[in-house]
Structure formats: C-alpha cells, structure tokens
PDB file of all heavy atoms in Angstrom:
ATOM      1  N   ALA B   1       3.638   5.904  -8.991  1.00 85.00           N
ATOM      2  CA  ALA B   1       4.685   5.048  -8.455  1.00 85.00           C
ATOM      3  C   ALA B   1       4.440   4.789  -6.973  1.00 85.00           C
ATOM      4  O   ALA B   1       3.761   5.548  -6.282  1.00 85.00           O
ATOM      5  CB  ALA B   1       6.044   5.710  -8.658  1.00 85.00           C
ATOM      6  N   LEU B   2       5.045   3.717  -6.469  1.00 89.00           N
ATOM      7  CA  LEU B   2       4.882   3.369  -5.065  1.00 89.00           C
ATOM      8  C   LEU B   2       5.422   4.466  -4.150  1.00 89.00           C
ATOM      9  O   LEU B   2       4.858   4.726  -3.081  1.00 89.00           O
ATOM     10  CB  LEU B   2       5.580   2.039  -4.777  1.00 89.00           C
ATOM     11  CG  LEU B   2       4.921   0.798  -5.384  1.00 89.00           C
ATOM     12  CD1 LEU B   2       5.836  -0.409  -5.243  1.00 89.00           C
ATOM     13  CD2 LEU B   2       3.591   0.513  -4.727  1.00 89.00           C
ATOM     14  N   ASP B   3       6.508   5.121  -4.546  1.00 88.00           N
ATOM     15  CA  ASP B   3       7.058   6.207  -3.731  1.00 88.00           C
ATOM     16  C   ASP B   3       6.074   7.368  -3.623  1.00 88.00           C
ATOM     17  O   ASP B   3       6.015   8.048  -2.591  1.00 88.00           O
ATOM     18  CB  ASP B   3       8.387   6.701  -4.312  1.00 88.00           C
ATOM     19  CG  ASP B   3       9.524   5.702  -4.083  1.00 88.00           C
ATOM     20  OD1 ASP B   3       9.375   4.845  -3.175  1.00 88.00           O
ATOM     21  OD2 ASP B   3      10.540   5.781  -4.785  1.00 88.00           O
ATOM     22  N   ASP B   4       5.309   7.602  -4.683  1.00 89.00           N
ATOM     23  CA  ASP B   4       4.288   8.654  -4.630  1.00 89.00           C
ATOM     24  C   ASP B   4       3.210   8.298  -3.612  1.00 89.00           C
ATOM     25  O   ASP B   4       2.674   9.171  -2.926  1.00 89.00           O
ATOM     26  CB  ASP B   4       3.651   8.859  -6.005  1.00 89.00           C
ATOM     27  CG  ASP B   4       4.627   9.435  -7.020  1.00 89.00           C
ATOM     28  OD1 ASP B   4       5.541  10.154  -6.595  1.00 89.00           O
ATOM     29  OD2 ASP B   4       4.465   9.150  -8.218  1.00 89.00           O
ATOM     30  N   LEU B   5       2.883   7.017  -3.523  1.00 92.00           N
ATOM     31  CA  LEU B   5       1.888   6.584  -2.536  1.00 92.00           C
ATOM     32  C   LEU B   5       2.390   6.844  -1.128  1.00 92.00           C
ATOM     33  O   LEU B   5       1.649   7.368  -0.283  1.00 92.00           O
ATOM     34  CB  LEU B   5       1.583   5.093  -2.716  1.00 92.00           C
ATOM     35  CG  LEU B   5       0.749   4.454  -1.600  1.00 92.00           C
ATOM     36  CD1 LEU B   5      -0.637   5.088  -1.524  1.00 92.00           C
ATOM     37  CD2 LEU B   5       0.641   2.950  -1.800  1.00 92.00           C
ATOM     38  N   ILE B   6       3.630   6.494  -0.848  1.00 89.00           N
ATOM     39  CA  ILE B   6       4.180   6.689   0.492  1.00 89.00           C
ATOM     40  C   ILE B   6       4.129   8.166   0.867  1.00 89.00           C
ATOM     41  O   ILE B   6       3.764   8.527   1.994  1.00 89.00           O
ATOM     42  CB  ILE B   6       5.626   6.166   0.573  1.00 89.00           C
ATOM     43  CG1 ILE B   6       5.684   4.676   0.192  1.00 89.00           C
ATOM     44  CG2 ILE B   6       6.182   6.384   1.974  1.00 89.00           C
ATOM     45  CD1 ILE B   6       4.824   3.779   1.031  1.00 89.00           C
ATOM     46  N   SER B   7       4.454   9.024  -0.076  1.00 89.00           N
ATOM     47  CA  SER B   7       4.414  10.468   0.192  1.00 89.00           C
ATOM     48  C   SER B   7       2.992  10.934   0.482  1.00 89.00           C
ATOM     49  O   SER B   7       2.744  11.731   1.386  1.00 89.00           O
ATOM     50  CB  SER B   7       4.978  11.247  -1.004  1.00 89.00           C
ATOM     51  OG  SER B   7       6.330  10.923  -1.223  1.00 89.00           O
ATOM     52  N   ALA B   8       2.025  10.421  -0.283  1.00 90.00           N
ATOM     53  CA  ALA B   8       0.636  10.839  -0.099  1.00 90.00           C
ATOM     54  C   ALA B   8       0.061  10.311   1.208  1.00 90.00           C
ATOM     55  O   ALA B   8      -0.775  10.969   1.840  1.00 90.00           O
ATOM     56  CB  ALA B   8      -0.202  10.347  -1.276  1.00 90.00           C
ATOM     57  N   MET B   9       0.506   9.138   1.634  1.00 90.00           N
ATOM     58  CA  MET B   9      -0.030   8.534   2.850  1.00 90.00           C
ATOM     59  C   MET B   9       0.489   9.220   4.110  1.00 90.00           C
ATOM     60  O   MET B   9      -0.167   9.223   5.142  1.00 90.00           O
ATOM     61  CB  MET B   9       0.337   7.045   2.888  1.00 90.00           C
ATOM     62  CG  MET B   9      -0.413   6.193   1.886  1.00 90.00           C
ATOM     63  SD  MET B   9      -2.121   5.915   2.353  1.00 90.00           S
ATOM     64  CE  MET B   9      -1.918   4.815   3.740  1.00 90.00           C
ATOM     65  N   ASP B  10       1.685   9.745   4.060  1.00 84.00           N
ATOM     66  CA  ASP B  10       2.283  10.435   5.200  1.00 84.00           C
ATOM     67  C   ASP B  10       2.454   9.501   6.404  1.00 84.00           C
ATOM     68  O   ASP B  10       2.348   9.926   7.560  1.00 84.00           O
ATOM     69  CB  ASP B  10       1.446  11.665   5.582  1.00 84.00           C
ATOM     70  CG  ASP B  10       2.225  12.643   6.467  1.00 84.00           C
ATOM     71  OD1 ASP B  10       3.456  12.698   6.325  1.00 84.00           O
ATOM     72  OD2 ASP B  10       1.594  13.330   7.303  1.00 84.00           O
ATOM     73  N   VAL B  11       2.661   8.223   6.142  1.00 88.00           N
ATOM     74  CA  VAL B  11       3.023   7.253   7.180  1.00 88.00           C
ATOM     75  C   VAL B  11       4.151   6.398   6.617  1.00 88.00           C
ATOM     76  O   VAL B  11       4.504   6.510   5.440  1.00 88.00           O
ATOM     77  CB  VAL B  11       1.821   6.359   7.595  1.00 88.00           C
ATOM     78  CG1 VAL B  11       0.725   7.186   8.236  1.00 88.00           C
ATOM     79  CG2 VAL B  11       1.275   5.573   6.402  1.00 88.00           C
ATOM     80  N   SER B  12       4.720   5.551   7.429  1.00 90.00           N
ATOM     81  CA  SER B  12       5.845   4.740   6.982  1.00 90.00           C
ATOM     82  C   SER B  12       5.413   3.727   5.915  1.00 90.00           C
ATOM     83  O   SER B  12       4.227   3.413   5.763  1.00 90.00           O
ATOM     84  CB  SER B  12       6.443   3.981   8.169  1.00 90.00           C
ATOM     85  OG  SER B  12       5.543   2.980   8.622  1.00 90.00           O
ATOM     86  N   ARG B  13       6.406   3.221   5.197  1.00 91.00           N
ATOM     87  CA  ARG B  13       6.128   2.189   4.185  1.00 91.00           C
ATOM     88  C   ARG B  13       5.510   0.955   4.830  1.00 91.00           C
ATOM     89  O   ARG B  13       4.596   0.348   4.273  1.00 91.00           O
ATOM     90  CB  ARG B  13       7.436   1.828   3.467  1.00 91.00           C
ATOM     91  CG  ARG B  13       7.253   0.939   2.240  1.00 91.00           C
ATOM     92  CD  ARG B  13       8.579   0.701   1.556  1.00 91.00           C
ATOM     93  NE  ARG B  13       9.105   1.923   0.975  1.00 91.00           N
ATOM     94  CZ  ARG B  13       8.876   2.331  -0.274  1.00 91.00           C
ATOM     95  NH1 ARG B  13       8.098   1.607  -1.072  1.00 91.00           N
ATOM     96  NH2 ARG B  13       9.412   3.435  -0.722  1.00 91.00           N
ATOM     97  N   ARG B  14       5.996   0.591   5.999  1.00 93.00           N
ATOM     98  CA  ARG B  14       5.457  -0.580   6.697  1.00 93.00           C
ATOM     99  C   ARG B  14       3.995  -0.346   7.091  1.00 93.00           C
ATOM    100  O   ARG B  14       3.167  -1.243   6.952  1.00 93.00           O
ATOM    101  CB  ARG B  14       6.306  -0.860   7.934  1.00 93.00           C
ATOM    102  CG  ARG B  14       5.868  -2.092   8.703  1.00 93.00           C
ATOM    103  CD  ARG B  14       6.834  -2.376   9.830  1.00 93.00           C
ATOM    104  NE  ARG B  14       6.448  -3.554  10.588  1.00 93.00           N
ATOM    105  CZ  ARG B  14       7.130  -4.037  11.617  1.00 93.00           C
ATOM    106  NH1 ARG B  14       8.252  -3.442  11.997  1.00 93.00           N
ATOM    107  NH2 ARG B  14       6.714  -5.110  12.255  1.00 93.00           N
ATOM    108  N   GLN B  15       3.678   0.858   7.573  1.00 93.00           N
ATOM    109  CA  GLN B  15       2.305   1.169   7.942  1.00 93.00           C
ATOM    110  C   GLN B  15       1.399   1.218   6.711  1.00 93.00           C
ATOM    111  O   GLN B  15       0.249   0.767   6.760  1.00 93.00           O
ATOM    112  CB  GLN B  15       2.257   2.511   8.683  1.00 93.00           C
ATOM    113  CG  GLN B  15       0.883   2.928   9.179  1.00 93.00           C
ATOM    114  CD  GLN B  15       0.426   2.160  10.408  1.00 93.00           C
ATOM    115  OE1 GLN B  15       0.992   1.122  10.733  1.00 93.00           O
ATOM    116  NE2 GLN B  15      -0.600   2.655  11.066  1.00 93.00           N
ATOM    117  N   THR B  16       1.912   1.733   5.616  1.00 94.00           N
ATOM    118  CA  THR B  16       1.152   1.751   4.370  1.00 94.00           C
ATOM    119  C   THR B  16       0.819   0.330   3.921  1.00 94.00           C
ATOM    120  O   THR B  16      -0.307   0.041   3.499  1.00 94.00           O
ATOM    121  CB  THR B  16       1.939   2.480   3.273  1.00 94.00           C
ATOM    122  OG1 THR B  16       2.150   3.842   3.656  1.00 94.00           O
ATOM    123  CG2 THR B  16       1.198   2.457   1.940  1.00 94.00           C
ATOM    124  N   ASP B  17       1.794  -0.554   4.032  1.00 95.00           N
ATOM    125  CA  ASP B  17       1.576  -1.952   3.665  1.00 95.00           C
ATOM    126  C   ASP B  17       0.498  -2.573   4.544  1.00 95.00           C
ATOM    127  O   ASP B  17      -0.386  -3.307   4.058  1.00 95.00           O
ATOM    128  CB  ASP B  17       2.894  -2.720   3.806  1.00 95.00           C
ATOM    129  CG  ASP B  17       2.821  -4.130   3.253  1.00 95.00           C
ATOM    130  OD1 ASP B  17       2.846  -4.272   2.016  1.00 95.00           O
ATOM    131  OD2 ASP B  17       2.727  -5.079   4.053  1.00 95.00           O
ATOM    132  N   ARG B  18       0.528  -2.289   5.837  1.00 94.00           N
ATOM    133  CA  ARG B  18      -0.467  -2.844   6.759  1.00 94.00           C
ATOM    134  C   ARG B  18      -1.869  -2.353   6.429  1.00 94.00           C
ATOM    135  O   ARG B  18      -2.834  -3.122   6.426  1.00 94.00           O
ATOM    136  CB  ARG B  18      -0.111  -2.457   8.202  1.00 94.00           C
ATOM    137  CG  ARG B  18      -0.990  -3.131   9.244  1.00 94.00           C
ATOM    138  CD  ARG B  18      -0.720  -2.606  10.631  1.00 94.00           C
ATOM    139  NE  ARG B  18      -1.267  -1.278  10.821  1.00 94.00           N
ATOM    140  CZ  ARG B  18      -2.548  -1.032  11.089  1.00 94.00           C
ATOM    141  NH1 ARG B  18      -3.423  -2.021  11.197  1.00 94.00           N
ATOM    142  NH2 ARG B  18      -2.963   0.206  11.255  1.00 94.00           N
ATOM    143  N   LEU B  19      -1.995  -1.057   6.123  1.00 94.00           N
ATOM    144  CA  LEU B  19      -3.304  -0.493   5.798  1.00 94.00           C
ATOM    145  C   LEU B  19      -3.840  -1.055   4.480  1.00 94.00           C
ATOM    146  O   LEU B  19      -5.041  -1.300   4.336  1.00 94.00           O
ATOM    147  CB  LEU B  19      -3.218   1.027   5.731  1.00 94.00           C
ATOM    148  CG  LEU B  19      -3.023   1.739   7.066  1.00 94.00           C
ATOM    149  CD1 LEU B  19      -2.705   3.220   6.849  1.00 94.00           C
ATOM    150  CD2 LEU B  19      -4.260   1.588   7.950  1.00 94.00           C
ATOM    151  N   ALA B  20      -2.957  -1.247   3.512  1.00 95.00           N
ATOM    152  CA  ALA B  20      -3.381  -1.819   2.229  1.00 95.00           C
ATOM    153  C   ALA B  20      -3.953  -3.220   2.429  1.00 95.00           C
ATOM    154  O   ALA B  20      -4.988  -3.580   1.857  1.00 95.00           O
ATOM    155  CB  ALA B  20      -2.209  -1.853   1.258  1.00 95.00           C
ATOM    156  N   LYS B  21      -3.313  -4.016   3.245  1.00 95.00           N
ATOM    157  CA  LYS B  21      -3.799  -5.375   3.501  1.00 95.00           C
ATOM    158  C   LYS B  21      -5.101  -5.352   4.299  1.00 95.00           C
ATOM    159  O   LYS B  21      -6.008  -6.144   4.038  1.00 95.00           O
ATOM    160  CB  LYS B  21      -2.729  -6.172   4.242  1.00 95.00           C
ATOM    161  CG  LYS B  21      -1.512  -6.482   3.376  1.00 95.00           C
ATOM    162  CD  LYS B  21      -0.426  -7.194   4.166  1.00 95.00           C
ATOM    163  CE  LYS B  21       0.770  -7.495   3.268  1.00 95.00           C
ATOM    164  NZ  LYS B  21       1.882  -8.138   4.029  1.00 95.00           N
ATOM    165  N   LEU B  22      -5.194  -4.441   5.277  1.00 93.00           N
ATOM    166  CA  LEU B  22      -6.385  -4.364   6.116  1.00 93.00           C
ATOM    167  C   LEU B  22      -7.630  -4.025   5.306  1.00 93.00           C
ATOM    168  O   LEU B  22      -8.694  -4.623   5.492  1.00 93.00           O
ATOM    169  CB  LEU B  22      -6.173  -3.302   7.207  1.00 93.00           C
ATOM    170  CG  LEU B  22      -7.355  -3.038   8.144  1.00 93.00           C
ATOM    171  CD1 LEU B  22      -7.625  -4.252   9.027  1.00 93.00           C
ATOM    172  CD2 LEU B  22      -7.088  -1.800   9.000  1.00 93.00           C
ATOM    173  N   TYR B  23      -7.511  -3.066   4.371  1.00 94.00           N
ATOM    174  CA  TYR B  23      -8.680  -2.590   3.635  1.00 94.00           C
ATOM    175  C   TYR B  23      -8.846  -3.218   2.255  1.00 94.00           C
ATOM    176  O   TYR B  23      -9.970  -3.357   1.773  1.00 94.00           O
ATOM    177  CB  TYR B  23      -8.622  -1.069   3.491  1.00 94.00           C
ATOM    178  CG  TYR B  23      -8.975  -0.350   4.762  1.00 94.00           C
ATOM    179  CD1 TYR B  23      -7.984   0.127   5.613  1.00 94.00           C
ATOM    180  CD2 TYR B  23     -10.304  -0.154   5.135  1.00 94.00           C
ATOM    181  CE1 TYR B  23      -8.308   0.783   6.798  1.00 94.00           C
ATOM    182  CE2 TYR B  23     -10.633   0.501   6.306  1.00 94.00           C
ATOM    183  CZ  TYR B  23      -9.640   0.966   7.137  1.00 94.00           C
ATOM    184  OH  TYR B  23      -9.970   1.601   8.296  1.00 94.00           O
ATOM    185  N   PHE B  24      -7.734  -3.569   1.609  1.00 95.00           N
ATOM    186  CA  PHE B  24      -7.812  -4.028   0.216  1.00 95.00           C
ATOM    187  C   PHE B  24      -7.325  -5.462   0.010  1.00 95.00           C
ATOM    188  O   PHE B  24      -7.458  -5.994  -1.078  1.00 95.00           O
ATOM    189  CB  PHE B  24      -7.032  -3.079  -0.689  1.00 95.00           C
ATOM    190  CG  PHE B  24      -7.552  -1.669  -0.658  1.00 95.00           C
ATOM    191  CD1 PHE B  24      -6.996  -0.737   0.198  1.00 95.00           C
ATOM    192  CD2 PHE B  24      -8.608  -1.280  -1.458  1.00 95.00           C
ATOM    193  CE1 PHE B  24      -7.487   0.562   0.250  1.00 95.00           C
ATOM    194  CE2 PHE B  24      -9.102   0.005  -1.423  1.00 95.00           C
ATOM    195  CZ  PHE B  24      -8.544   0.938  -0.560  1.00 95.00           C
ATOM    196  N   GLY B  25      -6.760  -6.068   1.039  1.00 94.00           N
ATOM    197  CA  GLY B  25      -6.458  -7.488   0.982  1.00 94.00           C
ATOM    198  C   GLY B  25      -5.082  -7.887   0.512  1.00 94.00           C
ATOM    199  O   GLY B  25      -4.762  -9.073   0.490  1.00 94.00           O
ATOM    200  N   ALA B  26      -4.229  -6.913   0.128  1.00 96.00           N
ATOM    201  CA  ALA B  26      -2.907  -7.261  -0.379  1.00 96.00           C
ATOM    202  C   ALA B  26      -1.975  -6.061  -0.247  1.00 96.00           C
ATOM    203  O   ALA B  26      -2.408  -4.948   0.069  1.00 96.00           O
ATOM    204  CB  ALA B  26      -2.995  -7.710  -1.836  1.00 96.00           C
ATOM    205  N   SER B  27      -0.707  -6.285  -0.506  1.00 96.00           N
ATOM    206  CA  SER B  27       0.281  -5.210  -0.422  1.00 96.00           C
ATOM    207  C   SER B  27       0.058  -4.192  -1.537  1.00 96.00           C
ATOM    208  O   SER B  27      -0.537  -4.518  -2.583  1.00 96.00           O
ATOM    209  CB  SER B  27       1.691  -5.788  -0.546  1.00 96.00           C
ATOM    210  OG  SER B  27       1.895  -6.271  -1.880  1.00 96.00           O
ATOM    211  N   PRO B  28       0.542  -2.946  -1.375  1.00 95.00           N
ATOM    212  CA  PRO B  28       0.397  -1.948  -2.441  1.00 95.00           C
ATOM    213  C   PRO B  28       0.987  -2.407  -3.773  1.00 95.00           C
ATOM    214  O   PRO B  28       0.399  -2.160  -4.824  1.00 95.00           O
ATOM    215  CB  PRO B  28       1.148  -0.731  -1.889  1.00 95.00           C
ATOM    216  CG  PRO B  28       1.053  -0.867  -0.410  1.00 95.00           C
ATOM    217  CD  PRO B  28       1.131  -2.354  -0.156  1.00 95.00           C
ATOM    218  N   LYS B  29       2.134  -3.086  -3.733  1.00 94.00           N
ATOM    219  CA  LYS B  29       2.761  -3.523  -4.984  1.00 94.00           C
ATOM    220  C   LYS B  29       1.872  -4.520  -5.718  1.00 94.00           C
ATOM    221  O   LYS B  29       1.731  -4.449  -6.950  1.00 94.00           O
ATOM    222  CB  LYS B  29       4.131  -4.142  -4.693  1.00 94.00           C
ATOM    223  CG  LYS B  29       4.926  -4.449  -5.953  1.00 94.00           C
ATOM    224  CD  LYS B  29       6.360  -4.829  -5.608  1.00 94.00           C
ATOM    225  CE  LYS B  29       7.165  -5.040  -6.888  1.00 94.00           C
ATOM    226  NZ  LYS B  29       8.586  -5.376  -6.583  1.00 94.00           N
ATOM    227  N   TYR B  30       1.266  -5.440  -4.976  1.00 96.00           N
ATOM    228  CA  TYR B  30       0.379  -6.411  -5.618  1.00 96.00           C
ATOM    229  C   TYR B  30      -0.900  -5.732  -6.110  1.00 96.00           C
ATOM    230  O   TYR B  30      -1.381  -6.012  -7.208  1.00 96.00           O
ATOM    231  CB  TYR B  30       0.036  -7.542  -4.654  1.00 96.00           C
ATOM    232  CG  TYR B  30      -0.591  -8.723  -5.356  1.00 96.00           C
ATOM    233  CD1 TYR B  30       0.197  -9.763  -5.832  1.00 96.00           C
ATOM    234  CD2 TYR B  30      -1.962  -8.789  -5.576  1.00 96.00           C
ATOM    235  CE1 TYR B  30      -0.365 -10.834  -6.504  1.00 96.00           C
ATOM    236  CE2 TYR B  30      -2.531  -9.852  -6.246  1.00 96.00           C
ATOM    237  CZ  TYR B  30      -1.729 -10.869  -6.708  1.00 96.00           C
ATOM    238  OH  TYR B  30      -2.286 -11.922  -7.388  1.00 96.00           O
ATOM    239  N   LEU B  31      -1.441  -4.833  -5.317  1.00 95.00           N
ATOM    240  CA  LEU B  31      -2.650  -4.116  -5.725  1.00 95.00           C
ATOM    241  C   LEU B  31      -2.401  -3.279  -6.972  1.00 95.00           C
ATOM    242  O   LEU B  31      -3.283  -3.131  -7.816  1.00 95.00           O
ATOM    243  CB  LEU B  31      -3.130  -3.213  -4.583  1.00 95.00           C
ATOM    244  CG  LEU B  31      -3.697  -3.942  -3.357  1.00 95.00           C
ATOM    245  CD1 LEU B  31      -3.900  -2.950  -2.223  1.00 95.00           C
ATOM    246  CD2 LEU B  31      -4.998  -4.656  -3.687  1.00 95.00           C
ATOM    247  N   GLN B  32      -1.203  -2.735  -7.088  1.00 93.00           N
ATOM    248  CA  GLN B  32      -0.851  -1.966  -8.281  1.00 93.00           C
ATOM    249  C   GLN B  32      -0.979  -2.840  -9.533  1.00 93.00           C
ATOM    250  O   GLN B  32      -1.537  -2.416 -10.549  1.00 93.00           O
ATOM    251  CB  GLN B  32       0.574  -1.433  -8.145  1.00 93.00           C
ATOM    252  CG  GLN B  32       1.003  -0.488  -9.259  1.00 93.00           C
ATOM    253  CD  GLN B  32       2.454  -0.069  -9.088  1.00 93.00           C
ATOM    254  OE1 GLN B  32       3.334  -0.914  -8.879  1.00 93.00           O
ATOM    255  NE2 GLN B  32       2.696   1.229  -9.150  1.00 93.00           N
ATOM    256  N   ARG B  33      -0.499  -4.064  -9.460  1.00 93.00           N
ATOM    257  CA  ARG B  33      -0.624  -4.994 -10.587  1.00 93.00           C
ATOM    258  C   ARG B  33      -2.090  -5.296 -10.882  1.00 93.00           C
ATOM    259  O   ARG B  33      -2.529  -5.275 -12.043  1.00 93.00           O
ATOM    260  CB  ARG B  33       0.101  -6.300 -10.276  1.00 93.00           C
ATOM    261  CG  ARG B  33       1.604  -6.222 -10.184  1.00 93.00           C
ATOM    262  CD  ARG B  33       2.187  -7.564  -9.756  1.00 93.00           C
ATOM    263  NE  ARG B  33       1.758  -8.642 -10.655  1.00 93.00           N
ATOM    264  CZ  ARG B  33       1.657  -9.916 -10.274  1.00 93.00           C
ATOM    265  NH1 ARG B  33       1.906 -10.282  -9.030  1.00 93.00           N
ATOM    266  NH2 ARG B  33       1.276 -10.819 -11.154  1.00 93.00           N
ATOM    267  N   LYS B  34      -2.868  -5.573  -9.841  1.00 94.00           N
ATOM    268  CA  LYS B  34      -4.283  -5.913 -10.009  1.00 94.00           C
ATOM    269  C   LYS B  34      -5.038  -4.774 -10.675  1.00 94.00           C
ATOM    270  O   LYS B  34      -5.789  -4.987 -11.648  1.00 94.00           O
ATOM    271  CB  LYS B  34      -4.892  -6.232  -8.640  1.00 94.00           C
ATOM    272  CG  LYS B  34      -6.403  -6.461  -8.637  1.00 94.00           C
ATOM    273  CD  LYS B  34      -6.900  -6.800  -7.226  1.00 94.00           C
ATOM    274  CE  LYS B  34      -8.414  -6.861  -7.150  1.00 94.00           C
ATOM    275  NZ  LYS B  34      -8.899  -7.258  -5.803  1.00 94.00           N
ATOM    276  N   TYR B  35      -4.844  -3.550 -10.196  1.00 92.00           N
ATOM    277  CA  TYR B  35      -5.632  -2.429 -10.715  1.00 92.00           C
ATOM    278  C   TYR B  35      -5.141  -1.961 -12.080  1.00 92.00           C
ATOM    279  O   TYR B  35      -5.913  -1.412 -12.860  1.00 92.00           O
ATOM    280  CB  TYR B  35      -5.672  -1.299  -9.686  1.00 92.00           C
ATOM    281  CG  TYR B  35      -6.710  -1.600  -8.619  1.00 92.00           C
ATOM    282  CD1 TYR B  35      -6.382  -2.379  -7.512  1.00 92.00           C
ATOM    283  CD2 TYR B  35      -8.025  -1.187  -8.763  1.00 92.00           C
ATOM    284  CE1 TYR B  35      -7.335  -2.703  -6.573  1.00 92.00           C
ATOM    285  CE2 TYR B  35      -8.986  -1.505  -7.825  1.00 92.00           C
ATOM    286  CZ  TYR B  35      -8.646  -2.262  -6.735  1.00 92.00           C
ATOM    287  OH  TYR B  35      -9.598  -2.602  -5.812  1.00 92.00           O
TER     288      TYR B  35
END
C-alpha cells in the first residue's frame, strides 16, 4: 500500500512524490498502477 511506502521512505509524502517523479517519472500512485 502507499502508506507502507511512506513508512519505508522515512520522508514526507510530498518528498516521496518528488523523488518518485525525479527517478521514475511519475507519482507513486501512478507507478503503482504501471507496475
């Protein structure tokens, strides 16, 4: 789940979203659908 990702990342949801876009090209929610 997305909440599990936030816990594992140990940064804010906004920062997690930024990192997902920087390295993988999209938000975590969209990447979840893709993968």
Side-chain angles (χ1 to χ4, degrees):
L2 290 170
D3 287 340
D4 293 331
L5 170 63
I6 302 302
S7 298
M9 289 286 289
D10 197 30
V11 296
S12 69
R13 190 177 293 269
R14 182 175 180 179
Q15 183 75 344
T16 298
D17 189 76
R18 187 187 74 80
L19 289 170
K21 291 176 180 177
L22 177 67
Y23 284 98
F24 300 94
S27 69
K29 188 170 184 178
Y30 194 91
L31 290 170
Q32 186 183 49
R33 292 175 55 207
K34 174 179 173 177
Y35 280 86

